Amino acid sequence: MTTPAQLRVQNQALTRDLKRATTKIKYLKIALALMTGVIAALVTYLVVRGLDATPLLSVGWSASAFIVTTGFVFTVQEKIAHS
């Protein structure tokens, strides 16, 4: 038979594990959003440079793509978490 003290200890251990897992998930969400933004920026740079744009214009479009894509991924992740 399990005593209340044992149940409390098990509950505390599970709570610590849950907090660690939640923290890791938050970091992974941030990493996913940043990687998606970097990929979008790289693809945008290559496409715009392929269209004979100046390097400065290509960098500008890449920065815009990074910001928009990263923001979009954060928004989607937030909406999924609340549903």
Side-chain angles (χ1 to χ4, degrees):
M1 183 150 189
T2 307
T3 65
Q6 290 173 330
L7 290 175
R8 275 193 296 278
V9 170
Q10 289 176 350
N11 187 19
Q12 290 172 350
L14 289 173
T15 303
R16 279 193 308 269
D17 290 343
L18 181 61
K19 286 181 183 179
R20 275 191 232 126
T22 303
T23 302
K24 286 180 184 179
I25 289 171
K26 286 180 185 178
Y27 287 129
L28 288 173
K29 285 180 178 182
I30 292 170
L32 175 68
L34 292 175
M35 286 188 290
T36 305
V38 168
I39 291 169
L42 179 63
V43 169
T44 302
Y45 180 82
L46 294 174
V47 168
V48 174
R49 280 298 289 161
L51 296 173
D52 292 330
T54 63
L56 186 60
L57 183 63
S58 299
V59 170
W61 278 102
S62 295
S64 298
F66 175 80
I67 292 168
V68 169
T69 304
T70 304
F72 177 72
V73 172
F74 278 129
T75 302
V76 168
Q77 289 174 353
E78 183 180 326
K79 296 293 181 186
I80 288 173
H82 290 299
S83 59

